[in-house]
Amino acid sequence: MSRSQELLNKSNKFGAHNYLPLPIVLTKGKGSFVWDSDDKKYLDFLSSYSALNFGHQHERLVFALKNQAEKLAVCSRAFMSEELCLFEEELANFCEMEKVLPMNSGTEAVESALKIARKWAVKKKSIPDGTPNIIAMENNFHGRSISIVSFSTEPLYRKDFGPFTPGFKSAPFGNLEALDSVIDKNTAAILVEPVQAEAGILLPPAGYLLGLRKLCSEKKILLMLDEIQTGLGRTGKDFAFQHEGAKPDVLILGKSLGGGLLPISAVVSSAEVMDVLQPGEHGSTFGGNPLACAVAREALKLLREEKLSERATQLGKKAGEWLRSRSLPLVKEVRGQGLLFGIELKKEAGGARKYCEKIAQKGVLCKETHENVIRIAPPLTIDEADLQQGIETILNELH
Ligand code: PLP
């Protein structure tokens, strides 16, 4: 039995079965490549759902991690750390916003944003405590906590997990007019992903984000953009909202903020919004720990110095051309922005999973999202030749 199979058997026995991973056990990574326990090499075309925008084990990030680990890794929020003070300033400046709340996972950052929006509505819009509502979009994905799945429209994420948190409403993604009948006097915020990645790389129509921006400003509603997956270069801009100049009131970041080395997330906003939080009302032991802050600071520097957002635009343009270059009878549509793509297969293809398995056997890792979409999100640092070769491998299997 292969080492990989032996390990998979162990995990099958001892691990929770809340995922259905491809049967591959990874042991190491470098740049755009990973190796499994039987030493087979793969090209990583998923980047841990955009947590690895900088690729695996980027030397500068590993150096920042090691350097900080030897100095101070964790100090809780009972004290401040030098790294946290500098991270707050640098991330606020990077986002051209004023205030930063550091957390750990994306889910926690979204939860934090929901709390801030509710409190802001009570304090700044005089909506009675316990009555603000927040509008989320159909087909959203913002995490897995009870409150977040309370406004999911995906039955799999909700079934058997109720009772749910009240105070959320739903609107169709990409449809500005539909919001008129959903917004009411108690609406605190609208929460949106600029591209619905988990839902199958769904892009809204042009002008949607800007329309949301205008609507929210007119009605004094917070526009909260979840850029956990789209932020930090992935779509060809530092943030996806920059494609339309639709700056949000609340920006939610995670994934590649941790440089692909450890978890760190953040809520970023104006002072008017963030300052509704008072000492003791919210917190996290590990949120903003100096180790994560040191890596995140280096990640922001790298994004600029290696011009990764521009790189995502240039490589994304070529990748789009390559992906659309062949007429493949099983492919319904290729869509994407920057280096984030979905290849939607026709129903008769029988689901994307089996193709991802075949593509993995050929040495390229990508993953199905929902039934029929193959998601492609290589590291933004990928070599052009590797990108082209990975796309060729995928297209060769789609028949
Ligand atoms: N929001 C979006 C848009 C995401 O893509 C994800 C994760 O895939 C999350 C939130 C949740 O982040 P995490 O898994 O770090 O809790």
Side-chain angles (χ1 to χ4, degrees):
M1 190 189 299
S2 71
R3 175 76 179 141
S4 295
Q5 193 54 55
E6 205 182 300
L7 290 162
L8 285 169
N9 292 349
K10 271 189 208 299
S11 178
N12 201 30
K13 183 168 175 202
F14 294 107
H17 292 175
N18 56 326
Y19 277 96
L20 187 62
L22 294 184
I24 289 165
V25 183
L26 299 177
T27 53
K28 64 179 184 197
K30 186 71 199 156
S32 304
F33 293 94
V34 284
W35 286 261
D36 74 10
S37 351
D38 299 298
D39 225 22
K40 182 172 157 73
K41 185 180 177 187
Y42 304 85
L43 189 53
D44 185 349
F45 254 41
L46 184 64
S47 306
S48 288
Y49 304 100
S50 292
L52 287 157
N53 284 0
F54 304 95
H56 292 266
Q57 328 309 127
H58 194 293
E59 268 172 28
R60 276 180 53 184
L61 295 167
V62 172
F63 179 79
L65 179 83
K66 283 185 175 164
N67 189 37
Q68 188 60 35
E70 284 170 6
K71 290 203 279 187
L72 180 71
V74 172
C75 65
S76 81
R77 294 301 305 270
F79 316 100
M80 289 303 288
S81 70
E82 190 168 318
E83 287 302 315
L84 175 56
C85 299
L86 296 171
F87 168 69
E88 289 167 339
E89 178 185 28
E90 288 166 15
L91 182 59
N93 288 341
F94 189 94
C95 301
E96 297 179 7
M97 291 171 96
E98 291 170 333
K99 290 273 181 173
V100 170
L101 170 73
M103 298 298 287
N104 306 288
S105 65
T107 300
E108 284 176 310
V110 173
E111 283 277 349
S112 308
L114 299 173
K115 285 174 74 177
I116 292 167
R118 284 179 169 188
K119 182 146 196 220
W120 174 85
V122 172
K123 293 293 169 202
K124 306 283 175 170
K125 283 184 81 174
S126 303
I127 296 176
D129 185 13
T131 69
N133 66 64
I134 294 170
I135 300 171
M137 298 302 143
E138 288 169 11
N139 301 317
N140 70 72
F141 184 83
H142 297 285
R144 304 288 199 157
S145 66
I146 294 275
S147 290
I148 292 174
V149 298
S150 297
F151 54 84
S152 172
T153 57
E154 170 60 52
L156 181 67
Y157 301 163
R158 293 167 56 90
K159 192 177 171 306
D160 300 334
F161 293 124
F164 297 110
T165 309
F168 300 106
K169 293 178 148 200
S170 197
F173 179 63
N175 184 338
L176 282 174
E177 289 74 48
L179 279 165
D180 284 341
S181 58
V182 185
I183 292 172
D184 65 26
K185 64 180 184 1
N186 286 13
T187 301
I190 297 180
L191 174 65
V192 191
E193 300 153 87
V195 178
Q196 288 190 325
E198 295 305 303
I201 321 296
L202 303 182
L203 290 130
Y208 176 65
L209 293 178
L210 194 56
L212 279 180
R213 175 62 281 169
K214 287 188 184 141
L215 186 70
C216 287
S217 300
E218 270 165 36
K219 306 221 176 232
K220 200 176 179 212
I221 291 170
L222 296 179
L223 176 60
M224 306 208 293
L225 292 185
D226 178 343
E227 293 237 24
I228 288 168
Q229 196 158 153
T230 53
L232 303 179
R234 173 57 58 190
T235 70
K237 300 266 183 203
D238 292 345
F239 303 110
F241 73 76
Q242 292 168 332
H243 289 287
E244 296 197 349
K247 194 170 171 184
D249 301 293
V250 176
L251 178 63
I252 308 168
L253 302 174
K255 293 200 191 278
S256 79
L257 188 58
L261 292 180
L262 31 68
I264 176 168
S265 61
V267 182
V268 191
S269 75
S270 65
E272 194 248 351
V273 172
M274 192 69 81
D275 287 351
V276 300
L277 282 184
Q278 296 296 307
E281 291 179 346
H282 190 64
S284 157
T285 304
F286 288 101
N289 68 76
L291 191 58
C293 286
V295 174
R297 291 181 61 210
E298 190 66 11
L300 294 176
K301 273 197 209 112
L302 266 184
L303 192 70
R304 281 274 182 277
E305 288 172 23
E306 296 195 353
K307 296 193 169 48
L308 292 181
S309 304
E310 292 86 335
R311 203 176 152 73
T313 300
Q314 287 151 12
L315 288 182
K317 195 162 171 285
K318 292 189 177 166
E321 282 164 15
W322 294 328
L323 282 165
R324 294 180 183 99
S325 62
R326 292 200 215 161
S327 89
L328 296 166
L330 289 181
V331 174
K332 185 173 168 198
E333 190 185 27
V334 174
R335 42 180 187 262
Q337 195 174 41
L339 267 180
L340 178 62
F341 287 97
I343 305 176
E344 181 168 352
L345 304 181
K346 291 182 186 157
K347 286 258 172 337
E348 56 265 34
R353 169 91 186 184
K354 65 178 184 211
Y355 296 95
C356 293
E357 285 171 359
K358 286 203 288 181
I359 292 162
Q361 279 169 15
K362 293 279 155 53
V364 178
L365 298 185
C366 50
K367 189 77 169 57
E368 80 277 9
T369 167
H370 282 248
E371 249 334 84
N372 296 314
V373 180
I374 300 175
R375 181 204 317 239
I376 296 178
L380 309 184
T381 50
I382 192 169
D383 280 350
E384 187 175 324
D386 293 333
L387 181 66
Q388 187 167 19
Q389 182 253 308
I391 289 174
E392 285 296 308
T393 306
I394 292 171
L395 297 182
N396 286 342
E397 294 305 315
L398 296 182
H399 52 72

